[in-house]
């Protein structure tokens, strides 16, 4: 669906423009959630290897997946579904990211309106990270 073209673009500006174009097409309904799943599944599985050749690949893919999640086309659990819970746990552990602490420290994450961070992660299909 063009992700390979975005990753192969010579400069970062072209890479971002292509990812933004795909995000815009998805937001307008030209590309659906199934199209995005099909186009990103293999990239998610091989992202570590792709990143060796194209260091910006994780950020570009994250930008597209974030836009798709924000637009309701993909759930927040899609990367875990595509790459497997074990791989997701490994990546989060390697990044030393404490998602519960991050959520708890976010002023928009008001405990009065939302469940505790661990429950929120479970509700989003990310219980493996809780």
């Amino acid at each position: 669906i063009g992700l390979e073209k975005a990753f192969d673009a010579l400069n970062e500006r072209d890479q971002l423009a292509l990812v933004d174009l795909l995000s815009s097409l998805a937001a307008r309904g030209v590309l659906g959630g199934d199209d995005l799943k099909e186009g990103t599944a293999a990239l998610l599985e091989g992202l570590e290897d792709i990143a060796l050749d194209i260091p910006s690949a994780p950020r570009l893919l994250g930008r597209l997946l974030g836009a798709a999640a924000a637009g309701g086309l993909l759930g927040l659990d899609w990367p875990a579904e595509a790459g497997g819970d074990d791989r997701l746990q490994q990546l989060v552990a390697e990044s030393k990211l404490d998602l519960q602490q991050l959520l708890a420290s976010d002023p928009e994450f008001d405990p009065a309106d939302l469940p505790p961070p661990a429950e929120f992660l479970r509700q989003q299909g990310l219980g493996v990270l809780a």
Side-chain angles (χ1 to χ4, degrees):
I1 64 171
L3 285 172
E4 292 84 8
K5 293 286 186 193
F7 288 172
D8 288 336
L10 294 177
N11 62 57
E12 186 175 353
R13 190 182 101 227
D14 291 346
Q15 290 173 334
L16 292 173
L18 285 167
V19 167
D20 288 344
L21 173 64
L22 292 171
S23 297
S24 178
L25 290 172
R28 293 186 176 140
V30 176
L31 295 175
D34 289 339
D35 297 321
L36 291 172
K37 284 182 176 183
E38 183 180 330
T40 58
L43 294 172
L44 283 165
E45 289 178 19
L47 190 57
E48 191 171 344
D49 290 334
I50 295 168
L52 293 173
D53 295 325
I54 307 165
S56 60
R59 186 171 48 82
L60 294 170
L61 188 56
R63 185 176 179 136
L64 178 61
L65 293 176
L73 291 170
L74 295 177
L76 293 174
D77 60 345
W78 169 241
E81 184 181 326
D85 287 345
D86 293 340
R87 181 71 179 126
L88 183 61
Q89 278 181 308
Q90 177 190 358
L91 291 172
V92 170
E94 287 173 5
S95 72
K96 297 181 175 48
L97 181 63
D98 184 341
L99 292 177
Q100 290 188 51
Q101 182 180 7
L102 180 68
L103 288 171
S105 67
D106 185 343
E108 292 184 23
F109 192 84
D110 185 354
D113 294 25
L114 296 172
E119 180 60 26
F120 176 79
L121 289 169
R122 280 191 279 285
Q123 289 176 356
Q124 298 302 314
L126 300 170
V128 69
L129 301 177

